[in-house]
Amino acid sequence: MDTTTYRAYTNIALIKYWGKRNKELFLPVTSSLSLTLNEFYTETTLEWNTQSNEDTFTLDGQILDINAIEKVSRFINMFRDLSGIHRPVHVKSTNHVPTAAGLASSASAFAALASACNDLFGTNLSNKELSTYARRGSGSATRSLFGGFTVWHKGIGDESDSSYAEMIDEADWDIGMLVVMINKEQKKISSRVGMEHTIKTSPFYKLWPETVAEDLEAIIPAIENRDFPTIGQIAEHNAMKMHATIIAADPSMTYWEPESLTAMNIVRDLREAGIPCYFTMDAGPNVKVLCRLSQAEEIKKAFEKHFSSDRLVISGPGKGPHKIS
Ligand code: ADP
Ligand code: DP6
Ligand code: CO
């Protein structure tokens, strides 16, 4: 085989990953839990490089700078070492998600790349094993090796193999998200830098690991019971607690923009009007509204009073990565 293409979907954390205990291995401080989304994904083609002795990489048709190529090359080295095939490759990737805007492009990107590497280098890893490799490209990518509701276990000590993802529910029921595009531009502070700054300087961060453990313990049975309001309340509170630790960093920072607050208020108004929906936000200004998929159109209508419809995307749950023929 000379070429392979994989598609992997983004995932949005309901219980957030924010902080590494081991930066080299991307081992997280806490476990986390997400919902994979069907509408946002990365497609990555990997082929042996016959034109150059080095790896080459294009993203959305652009030839990337040496820094970006180095990140991808280092990632692919894991598969070269594993397979013993030390050949250069060409990577061609397309994001069907805004890049570096807090919509988890790094998650779909490294899940797609890991899946394509596994195929081209013939390493035959299971998705569980592959999730431990995707993790070393971007932490959130660990969870994109599976669909539905997926847990990323923080693992034990410095054991890379122990920090993997596992799907706990296919999410094949009435649940989805409305994504409110506040700003698709690249953020100024990457997730990586933002979480490091928070760990180092936020006095609230010491409260974070314990509160995440409690939220996880409560949300897992709520997912099993398909108890949507409980899932939503826990997720919204967890996101706000993460953003509180970020705001309390020194110097203080935030990923929010004024329109992020507008979106949060619309969610609160909808709830008061008896429509259950809950917001979550990541390292970027965009707001994701967790809702019943059957009520997503109605919720979108309410948002259309403030946001043009091209900024509002409804998504159902997504699946794990798959090969594109
Ligand atoms: P996001 O919120 O989009 O996940 P991050 O700051 O976590 O933002 O990650 C963005 C980075 O992920 C980009 O700067 C780039 O290095 C990497 N990335 C995004 N898409 C791809 C891709 N398709 N292939 C390889 N790397 C990618
Ligand atoms: C707020 O996985 O993008 O979206 O591991 O440094 O690549 P790196 O960071 P990344 O961080 C995601 C942070 C988050 C929460 C989450 O997805 O769990
Ligand atoms: Co990311």
Side-chain angles (χ1 to χ4, degrees):
M1 190 192 14
D2 289 329
T3 178
T4 184
T5 301
Y6 267 81
R7 178 189 290 186
Y9 298 87
T10 63
N11 70 79
I12 298 301
L14 302 183
I15 307 298
K16 308 294 185 189
Y17 143 60
W18 197 249
K20 297 174 182 71
R21 67 177 192 273
N22 178 327
K23 277 194 277 177
E24 192 68 26
L25 292 173
F26 288 70
L27 292 166
V29 172
T30 69
S31 298
S32 55
L33 181 145
S34 60
L35 180 65
T36 299
L37 294 186
N38 190 39
E39 298 302 317
F40 299 95
Y41 54 89
T42 296
E43 281 182 1
T44 297
T45 300
L46 195 65
E47 56 199 20
W48 303 121
N49 204 333
T50 50
Q51 314 290 318
S52 164
N53 287 329
E54 283 168 11
D55 294 333
T56 47
F57 173 40
T58 66
L59 175 56
D60 296 331
Q62 308 261 68
I63 300 167
L64 286 204
D65 61 68
I66 192 79
N67 251 348
I69 296 175
E70 234 181 70
K71 235 160 97 178
V72 165
S73 269
R74 245 184 289 125
F75 183 82
I76 297 167
N77 282 344
M78 294 192 292
F79 291 86
R80 279 190 271 257
D81 291 346
L82 207 60
S83 65
I85 305 170
H86 292 275
R87 285 176 72 178
V89 294
H90 175 59
V91 183
K92 195 176 112 198
S93 192
T94 315
N95 279 343
H96 296 262
V97 54
T99 301
L103 286 161
S105 71
S106 66
S108 53
F110 284 97
L113 185 60
S115 302
C117 284
N118 194 36
D119 197 22
L120 191 73
F121 288 92
T123 40
N124 258 321
L125 301 176
S126 67
N127 276 4
K128 175 182 160 182
E129 290 168 312
L130 211 46
S131 73
T132 70
Y133 286 83
R135 191 193 75 225
R136 295 169 68 178
S138 177
S140 54
T142 315
R143 300 182 307 243
S144 274
L145 263 298
F146 294 93
F149 289 105
T150 289
V151 172
W152 167 18
H153 300 285
K154 69 180 176 132
I156 306 154
D158 286 334
E159 293 168 28
S160 185
D161 295 355
S162 69
S163 185
Y164 60 87
E166 178 185 24
M167 186 177 75
I168 60 157
D169 184 288
E170 279 184 38
D172 52 348
W173 47 282
D174 191 10
I175 191 147
M177 275 186 191
L178 171 73
V179 175
V180 185
M181 301 283 189
I182 307 280
N183 189 342
K184 294 182 199 173
E185 295 298 303
Q186 299 213 358
K187 55 188 137 189
K188 292 196 182 77
I189 303 172
S190 69
S191 310
R192 200 155 303 173
V193 170
M195 67 178 81
E196 215 181 314
H197 178 60
T198 309
I199 283 209
K200 276 196 190 139
T201 68
S202 175
F204 293 173
Y205 191 80
K206 63 174 182 294
L207 303 171
W208 176 246
E210 197 182 317
T211 209
V212 168
E214 286 163 7
D215 287 349
L216 263 176
E217 207 179 301
I219 205 170
I220 290 171
I223 290 170
E224 281 164 4
N225 296 330
R226 302 187 178 184
D227 176 354
F228 174 66
T230 302
I231 296 168
Q233 279 158 23
I234 295 168
E236 186 175 298
H237 189 207
N238 184 267
M240 290 304 252
K241 287 184 281 187
M242 179 187 79
H243 286 280
T245 68
I246 297 171
I247 290 169
D250 185 14
S252 173
M253 60 172 281
T254 184
Y255 287 103
W256 296 357
E257 288 181 16
E259 282 192 310
S260 311
L261 291 164
T262 305
M264 292 184 212
N265 281 333
I266 295 172
V267 168
R268 292 184 183 114
D269 290 347
L270 281 163
R271 276 210 297 268
E272 249 170 54
I275 300 166
C277 57
Y278 304 86
F279 58 80
T280 187
M281 286 185 65
D282 294 284
N286 303 301
V287 176
K288 299 98 185 183
V289 183
L290 187 68
C291 62
R292 296 265 185 211
L293 205 49
S294 59
Q295 291 183 314
E297 280 297 342
E298 189 184 352
I299 293 167
K300 184 170 174 239
K301 285 254 145 47
F303 272 87
E304 280 171 3
K305 289 182 194 139
H306 298 267
F307 297 93
S308 57
S309 62
D310 60 331
R311 298 170 73 191
L312 302 167
V313 182
I314 294 172
S315 180
K319 300 190 198 62
H322 56 89
K323 189 167 174 161
I324 308 279
S325 52

